[in-house]
């Protein structure tokens, strides 16, 4: 593993997007959050983050720890909630 820099505990609001699929391209195995702050956060598969696999293409508010790993922002999610569909209009 390369350089890891813990940035902060933060709240990230954004759209959950598929990032990786299994070998058969049937199941999502990794997601990112396209944040409303203009950043993209790779979601760690640790803990609660793996539950976000079921929320692809939905808006969420996620609370967790953001780290910079090899130049990428990685979010380890402690908790999250789905946002109302109307949020996507903003």
């Amino acid at each position: 593993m390369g350089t890891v820099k813990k940035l902060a505990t933060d709240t990230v609001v954004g759209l959950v997007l598929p990032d990786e699929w299994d070998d058969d391209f049937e199941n999502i195995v990794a997601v990112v959050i396209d944040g409303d702050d203009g950043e993209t956060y790779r979601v760690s598969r640790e803990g609660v983050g793996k539950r976000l696999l079921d929320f692809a293409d939905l808006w969420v508010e996620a609370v967790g720890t953001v780290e910079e790993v090899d130049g990428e922002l990685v979010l380890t999610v402690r908790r999250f909630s789905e946002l109302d569909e109307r949020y996507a209009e903003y």
Side-chain angles (χ1 to χ4, degrees), residues 14-32:
L15 182 63
V16 179
L17 297 172
D19 190 47
E20 293 179 30
W21 287 261
D22 63 7
D23 292 336
D24 297 326
F25 294 99
E26 293 181 6
N27 300 299
I28 299 168
V29 297
V31 293
V32 296

Side-chain angles (χ1 to χ4, degrees), residues 11-17 31-36 43 51-63 75 77 79-85 87-88:
T11 299
V12 174
V13 174
L15 182 63
V16 179
L17 297 172
V31 293
V32 296
I33 296 178
D34 184 21
D36 68 351
V43 176
R51 290 184 37 217
L52 281 172
L53 297 174
D54 295 328
F55 286 80
D57 300 320
L58 298 175
W59 285 83
V60 298
E61 178 180 78
V63 177
L75 175 65
V77 180
R79 66 182 184 275
F80 71 91
S81 58
E82 181 180 351
L83 295 176
D84 190 289
E85 294 174 359
Y87 187 84

Side-chain angles (χ1 to χ4, degrees), residues 38-58:
E39 299 288 351
T40 299
Y41 300 86
R42 180 174 300 280
V43 176
S44 170
R45 295 179 199 166
E46 298 295 317
V48 177
K50 61 187 166 204
R51 290 184 37 217
L52 281 172
L53 297 174
D54 295 328
F55 286 80
D57 300 320
L58 298 175

